Amino acid sequence: MLKLRSRSVRVIYMLLLILVSSVCIALIAIGSFLSYRDSMINVVGQSRSDVLSQIGNRMRDVKSNAYTISNLYYNDRGFRELAEGLNEDNKEEFFSYMDDITSQYKVSFNQINLDYYAVYLSVDGIGYCSMEVPEDYDFIDPTIRIWYRDLYYADGDIIDVASYTDRMLGKKSFIAARTVSDEEGELLGYLMINVNEEQIFGLYKDAIAEGSDIYITDNDGYIISSNINKIVSFH
């Protein structure tokens, strides 16, 4: 009887020992898993942060290049002289000059593969586009756009237009827009450098993880580009 009781105590002791050991192992395993999970989350989070930072830098480069091209047109003496006297009689000369300097800029920016087209619209409604366009082409008249007030008060400085749908050309673009005035400050027209949104999308399309979305916005929060097309803020 004593031996049987002693054996039962040993069995209970061993079962308790096994149970305590199992609990300890489970706790250690859970702790290791949580630590590994947190570590992986930090690594993935840092990796995504680095990727987004690279995308942001690339977008700033695209924007900077668009600004540089706008400044090249804006400060070109021939462009300004022809723009000041632009009318129906000499518009072909203006168009030819614009084509010439556009060809030069395209060659200069060929190495960075910036996909853009330039649009100029005079206050009298004479329009130029560096791409071939139909006769009834809409030359992006800023006066009927919601961003016209910002453009007007910028007084020649460049403003960003989050995105614009050019339905005639089948393009969606980020626009660097500005007014052009003569030396007396009289408004002559509007200069717009249009960067293809598909090129902006190309900056980050390979970084889109499954189940995630990327949005690129301007300083006012308007969405310039996203992998979800329907939410892009077109004006």
Side-chain angles (χ1 to χ4, degrees):
M1 186 72 176
L2 184 61
K3 289 183 178 180
L4 183 59
R5 183 178 297 174
S6 176
R7 185 178 299 171
S8 298
V9 171
R10 285 199 299 271
V11 171
I12 293 172
Y13 176 77
M14 289 182 64
L15 290 174
L16 288 173
L17 183 61
I18 292 172
L19 179 61
V20 171
S21 298
S22 299
V23 171
C24 290
I25 292 172
L27 290 174
I28 292 172
I30 292 172
S32 298
F33 169 76
L34 292 176
S35 177
Y36 173 77
R37 185 194 65 180
D38 292 342
S39 176
M40 286 302 298
I41 288 175
N42 288 334
V43 169
V44 172
Q46 182 60 47
S47 175
R48 296 296 291 171
S49 178
D50 291 342
V51 169
L52 292 176
S53 178
Q54 292 175 8
I55 293 171
N57 289 335
R58 292 172 186 169
M59 183 59 203
R60 279 188 286 272
D61 288 341
V62 169
K63 179 177 175 179
S64 176
N65 289 328
Y67 277 34
T68 298
I69 292 170
S70 178
N71 287 331
L72 288 172
Y73 282 102
Y74 188 78
N75 294 310
D76 184 88
R77 180 178 298 177
F79 161 70
R80 299 192 71 88
E81 288 177 353
L82 289 170
E84 285 188 27
L86 184 58
N87 55 51
E88 289 294 332
D89 294 331
N90 64 8
K91 67 179 183 180
E92 295 302 328
E93 180 184 359
F94 176 76
F95 295 163
S96 177
Y97 185 83
M98 291 292 286
D99 284 342
D100 287 343
I101 60 174
T102 296
S103 296
Q104 296 174 27
Y105 300 156
K106 288 283 188 179
V107 171
S108 300
F109 284 84
N110 184 52
Q111 292 182 344
I112 60 175
N113 296 318
L114 185 67
D115 184 11
Y116 81 93
Y117 63 100
V119 171
Y120 177 78
L121 180 66
S122 75
V123 292
D124 294 326
I126 298 175
Y128 165 84
C129 181
S130 60
M131 295 183 64
E132 186 173 346
V133 295
E135 291 185 5
D136 59 345
Y137 178 69
D138 174 11
F139 284 94
I140 315 178
D141 183 358
T143 61
I144 60 174
R145 308 294 173 183
I146 60 175
W147 39 272
Y148 178 68
R149 184 176 182 277
D150 293 336
L151 178 67
Y152 181 82
Y153 285 106
D155 194 26
D157 290 335
I158 300 173
I159 70 162
D160 300 333
V161 179
S163 207
Y164 173 79
T165 302
D166 192 329
R167 291 181 174 83
M168 286 192 168
L169 295 181
K171 291 181 178 292
K172 298 174 181 178
S173 305
F174 160 77
I175 303 179
R178 72 198 310 169
T179 56
V180 178
S181 302
D182 62 17
E183 293 182 356
E184 284 72 39
E186 182 179 353
L187 183 62
L188 300 174
Y190 311 94
L191 175 65
M192 290 151 283
I193 305 301
N194 305 263
V195 179
N196 194 336
E197 192 273 334
E198 288 184 2
Q199 183 171 26
I200 298 174
F201 177 70
L203 300 177
Y204 64 87
K205 67 178 181 180
D206 294 333
I208 302 172
E210 184 177 355
S212 66
D213 301 309
I214 292 179
Y215 312 88
I216 297 193
T217 65
D218 63 8
N219 293 333
D220 295 321
Y222 287 106
I223 298 174
I224 295 172
S225 179
S226 172
N227 57 303
I228 306 178
N229 256 344
K230 63 183 179 181
I231 66 171
V232 177
S233 308
F234 295 118
H235 297 285

